[in-house]
Amino acid sequence: MSGTGGADIVHGSGLPSPRWWRRYKDIPLIVLAILSLIAALIGWVTQYRLDEAAAQPAPVASGDPGDPSVAAACRPPIATPESEPWIDADGGGEATWKANSAELEDPVVLGRDGWAFYNDQVEENFSQAVGRRYLTVAEADAWHDYFASLQSGLAEQGIELSIQVSPSASSVYPQQLPEWTDGILGSTPLDQFLAASPDLPIVDFRSALRAASESDTVYTPVNSHWTDWGGYVAWQAYAGCHDSMYPGEEALWVPAVSGVESTRIYNEYAPYGVPDTGPEWTVPAFDETFADVAVTDSQGVTATVNGEDPVDLSKLPAATSTEGAKTAKTALILRDSMGNALSPYWGQTFEKTWQIQHRYDDWSNPPNFRALVDQYHPDVVIVQLAERHLANAPAVGITPGY
């Protein structure tokens, strides 16, 4: 207590401030407000620049080709466009596009020699075909990060990963696109995905398919899928890639063939009024006998089938079991309809497979690879996806489960 009997007086408490202080007492608050405003402005400008950079077209060439021997087997060189009319846009490509808007009114776009291609109603397919729909930096990075996370998680469990992008028909037969597209063909999302992912085990089938197409049909004019012969060519390419990546392992089995046979025309575009046209669907003439395969379909029904028969997408999720398979390995395969033509080789190579549709055309229920691996314990994980799905990059927050 003080001598006055009141409470102790804290220095300055309750005493009036000097007049000179009253003028400046708000300066610290003003300075703080100014600094906060400057920080917010810097943050906004920085974020704007980051967003602007992320929205730019992704590069189409990688500065790091990785292991040359693996790159040569898994990503053979492919002819690049003479220019990039969409990425280095001067407006000419879009002007040509608009000038031919009448050709783009239907769900299917007609090309040369009876060829047809899905229009943009299907995952911006035709815009992807010419390079008009490219990947942004953010989209290319999203695909890379998604698969890099998967690769890292599987590697920790000792599981091999292969990413196999089945090219669109327009990427193998660009010369069959409409004449009006001449001069406006640029790089595609696949080129950008490859450029953004030199560290990922991706197989690029385009070079092998283009080379094979010079002698035999690997796609037909009226179907968006590769033929059974195209699937065989792709399997050969994958085998070469695999053997290059894993030189210490036994080479993957590639069945011997005596030639190529034509069957009939499978016109996928008939509902849109596109007439049938040749060449016909091609299949390999095998010189080897395939082991029978037990296929359990989505209804839980198991049937033993000829090993040459494909496992159709409509049967997925499906499991296969093969006595006398070429290896004792098992494979978890996330795939789409392009996997039909590859499925006979999966069934002969792996003792067991579990084939599941990935639905990269719809991310509402993305696959949880970690949960699937914990359920099946595979030796190998294969992700086979159609090229056109690349326009649907995973959104922020979507992961493969790792």
Side-chain angles (χ1 to χ4, degrees):
M1 301 291 289
S2 67
T4 63
D8 290 335
I9 297 176
V10 177
H11 179 70
S13 175
L15 298 178
S17 301
R19 291 183 177 180
W20 62 268
W21 172 252
R22 295 176 187 173
R23 302 178 185 176
Y24 306 105
K25 66 178 183 179
D26 292 331
I27 289 178
L29 293 176
I30 294 171
V31 171
L32 180 60
I34 293 173
L35 291 175
S36 298
L37 182 61
I38 292 172
L41 183 60
I42 292 173
W44 181 84
V45 170
T46 301
Q47 188 60 51
Y48 174 79
R49 289 177 176 173
L50 290 173
D51 291 343
E52 188 177 39
Q56 295 301 306
V60 297
S62 171
D64 178 12
D67 185 329
S69 62
V70 172
C74 301
R75 307 180 183 200
I78 191 162
T80 57
E82 295 181 359
S83 63
E84 296 292 352
W86 305 101
I87 292 175
D88 302 327
D90 60 3
E94 191 63 32
T96 299
W97 183 273
K98 290 180 179 178
N100 290 275
S101 58
E103 307 294 326
L104 297 165
E105 292 179 349
D106 297 325
V108 174
V109 181
L110 299 180
R112 296 174 171 95
D113 303 324
W115 280 74
F117 306 90
Y118 279 121
N119 204 344
D120 281 0
Q121 292 91 335
V122 179
E123 298 179 282
E124 300 176 272
N125 182 72
F126 200 73
S127 283
Q128 287 195 69
V130 300
R132 179 174 181 260
R133 173 53 166 104
Y134 51 73
L135 294 185
T136 64
V137 170
E139 289 173 322
D141 287 347
W143 276 118
H144 170 268
D145 293 348
Y146 176 84
F147 283 119
S149 176
L150 176 60
Q151 181 186 35
S152 176
L154 293 175
E156 290 181 2
Q157 297 177 277
I159 299 172
E160 173 189 325
L161 171 66
S162 176
I163 303 166
Q164 305 179 12
V165 184
S166 304
S168 300
S170 56
S171 287
V172 179
Y173 292 89
Q175 70 276 14
Q176 298 296 358
L177 288 164
E179 291 183 11
W180 62 264
T181 64
D182 291 350
I184 64 166
L185 299 184
S187 295
T188 67
L190 177 53
D191 296 302
Q192 295 173 301
F193 176 44
L194 291 167
S197 308
D199 56 326
L200 295 181
I202 304 170
V203 189
D204 183 1
F205 298 115
R206 291 176 296 176
S207 179
L209 289 164
R210 286 186 182 184
S213 71
E214 294 179 4
S215 54
D216 295 290
T217 301
V218 291
Y219 291 74
T220 65
V222 291
N223 202 298
S224 67
H225 301 80
W226 49 25
T227 66
D228 291 325
W229 176 248
Y232 176 81
V233 172
W235 178 257
Q236 282 184 306
Y238 165 56
C241 172
H242 176 275
D243 297 347
S244 179
M245 290 183 65
Y246 304 98
E249 294 188 10
E250 184 178 353
L252 278 187
W253 170 77
V254 177
V257 297
S258 58
V260 185
E261 299 175 349
S262 295
T263 53
R264 65 182 183 86
I265 293 173
Y266 296 95
N267 189 347
E268 185 178 0
Y269 304 119
Y272 306 103
V274 176
D276 290 353
T277 185
E280 294 79 13
W281 192 270
T282 51
V283 300
F286 293 112
D287 274 347
E288 299 186 42
T289 301
F290 281 48
D292 289 343
V293 177
V295 180
T296 303
D297 64 17
S298 59
Q299 304 302 311
V301 177
T302 300
T304 299
V305 302
N306 186 315
E308 296 182 21
D309 293 344
V311 177
D312 190 78
L313 183 71
S314 62
K315 296 181 180 180
L316 269 53
T320 68
S321 179
T322 308
E323 288 189 19
K326 303 302 179 181
T327 74
K329 291 184 176 182
T330 60
L332 170 65
I333 302 169
L334 277 291
R335 50 159 289 200
D336 51 44
S337 57
M338 296 290 276
N340 285 9
L342 295 172
S343 59
Y345 313 110
W346 294 332
Q348 295 300 297
T349 299
F350 303 110
E351 189 173 62
K352 293 182 182 294
T353 75
W354 300 276
Q355 300 180 32
I356 299 168
Q357 188 175 4
H358 50 62
R359 294 316 304 259
Y360 286 149
D361 57 340
D362 176 9
W363 287 98
S364 61
N365 186 26
N368 187 320
F369 284 86
R370 181 60 182 267
L372 292 169
V373 165
D374 288 346
Q375 179 178 357
Y376 297 118
H377 306 287
D379 300 300
V380 177
V381 170
I382 295 174
V383 180
Q384 173 277 311
L385 69 155
E387 178 183 0
R388 68 187 183 210
H389 293 324
L390 291 174
N392 303 318
V396 174
I398 292 180
T399 74
Y402 285 93

